[in-house]
Amino acid sequence: MRKRLGVNIDHIATLRQVRQAEIPDPVQAAVFAELGGADGITVHLREDRRHIQDRDVYLLRKTIKSALNLEMAIHPKIVEVALGLVPDEVCIVPEKREEITTEGGLDVLRNLADLKIVIQKLRAKNIQVSLFIDALKEQIKASQEAGADKIEIHTGRYALAEKGAVQNELGKIVEASKYASSLGLCVNAGHGLNYANVYPIAKIQEIETLNIGHSIVARAVFTGLERAVRDMVLLLEHADKSSGN
Ligand code: PXP
């Protein structure tokens, strides 16, 4: 089976927020992403509300037909929103105000006690919980201990690696996926994936869902969002067929 594709539409909201306008609407974007074959819609509700707004997540919850994945940090007010919204999935990410995008994985080991409390609350509402982490054994083990259902492996280092280092970074993601799966964790991956680098990641058997945003929205400027999503889905289908799964 091909990997599921979660389309991150934060950058549609970024374009709206730069003008403090009403367009483009991420809710409309979600409809086109679904028409293109998206299996899920991913949004990051940041504490500073730099792109996605509360109004967006509530409207998305009501309108989308696929799965809603809410990325968030464990700030108490954002946790409150998540508990009221009840997305299908929450992906807990680290968040720094000054960063351009999520920079590294979550330090689950260091935040274990706080994470356990938040994960319990979310799971009590039947929300699947994923932790966005680097491809490190100790963080995977800690994710299981924290009570997460899933991990999302941060693919940013792979995406940014110099040519000679790509295989090494890929190897770490393969190993991490196998290890997480052996612990009974579902495995997702994302960050920095694009039409040129997604293929080897899409061939990793243990990975279920890829969350991809920037490259799809960037292509959509020229092709339209439905087509940009469909192009990515076709790549995932091709990767699946050629790996003989
Ligand atoms: N997954 C997570 C947890 C993220 O924080 C992001 C970026 O918002 C993505 C996936 C998508 O990354 P990109 O926009 O680079 O495709």
Side-chain angles (χ1 to χ4, degrees):
M1 226 170 44
R2 75 154 166 89
K3 303 306 174 204
R4 290 168 55 83
L5 175 63
V7 176
N8 183 314
I9 54 171
D10 292 350
H11 293 298
I12 303 288
T14 301
L15 190 54
R16 175 189 61 189
Q17 293 312 116
V18 289
R19 294 294 289 269
Q20 300 285 314
E22 289 182 359
I23 56 167
D25 188 341
V27 180
Q28 251 179 327
V31 174
F32 284 104
E34 286 183 333
L35 283 172
D39 303 289
I41 301 297
T42 295
V43 286
H44 184 173
L45 186 67
R46 295 186 75 105
E47 196 190 12
D48 62 12
R49 305 298 199 276
R50 69 170 70 155
H51 38 55
I52 293 293
Q53 306 295 306
D54 297 56
R55 165 263 185 212
D56 302 330
V57 295
Y58 292 118
L59 272 177
L60 285 167
R61 175 70 294 185
K62 284 193 185 146
T63 50
I64 67 168
K65 306 281 183 288
S66 60
L68 178 61
N69 174 28
L70 181 72
E71 291 176 359
M72 53 171 248
I74 52 169
H75 298 298
K77 289 215 161 113
I78 302 283
V79 174
E80 218 174 280
V81 172
L83 292 171
L85 179 72
V86 194
D88 299 282
E89 186 170 330
V90 155
C91 179
I92 301 179
V93 301
E95 195 175 294
K96 292 192 215 112
R97 269 183 185 269
E98 64 279 10
E99 70 191 356
I100 295 172
T101 181
T102 317
E103 276 166 3
L106 197 61
D107 191 342
V108 184
L109 278 169
R110 186 189 276 193
N111 298 291
L112 193 59
D114 291 342
L115 282 167
K116 272 187 178 171
I117 294 167
V118 173
I119 291 171
Q120 239 175 25
K121 286 184 187 168
L122 293 166
R123 295 199 73 219
K125 292 255 180 183
N126 274 330
I127 303 167
Q128 293 270 299
V129 184
S130 169
L131 303 181
F132 186 51
I133 57 171
D134 292 318
L136 296 169
K137 257 191 161 178
E138 61 271 24
Q139 296 294 346
I140 297 167
K141 186 82 192 96
S143 299
Q144 184 201 35
E145 213 181 312
D149 302 284
K150 314 179 179 200
I151 57 161
E152 179 169 328
I153 298 176
H154 194 317
T155 49
R157 285 173 71 97
Y158 160 78
L160 292 175
E162 300 284 335
K163 222 174 171 191
V166 172
Q167 280 309 316
N168 187 39
E169 292 300 330
L170 182 63
K172 289 184 203 166
I173 296 169
V174 171
E175 284 309 305
S177 303
K178 284 190 199 308
Y179 179 62
S181 181
S182 78
L183 295 182
L185 290 163
C186 174
V187 187
N188 296 342
H191 211 286
L193 296 177
N194 60 40
Y195 299 82
N197 67 17
V198 74
Y199 211 76
I201 299 289
K203 289 179 93 157
I204 300 172
Q205 212 174 340
E206 289 78 10
I207 293 178
E208 187 177 291
T209 300
L210 300 177
N211 284 308
I212 308 180
H214 187 259
S215 63
I216 291 177
V217 173
R219 179 177 285 221
V221 171
F222 304 109
T223 67
L225 188 57
E226 183 180 344
R227 167 79 187 272
V229 172
R230 194 169 302 287
D231 287 349
M232 186 57 81
V233 167
L234 288 172
L235 266 177
L236 301 186
E237 279 172 1
H238 195 273
D240 176 54
K241 283 189 191 118
S242 72
S243 58
N245 292 330

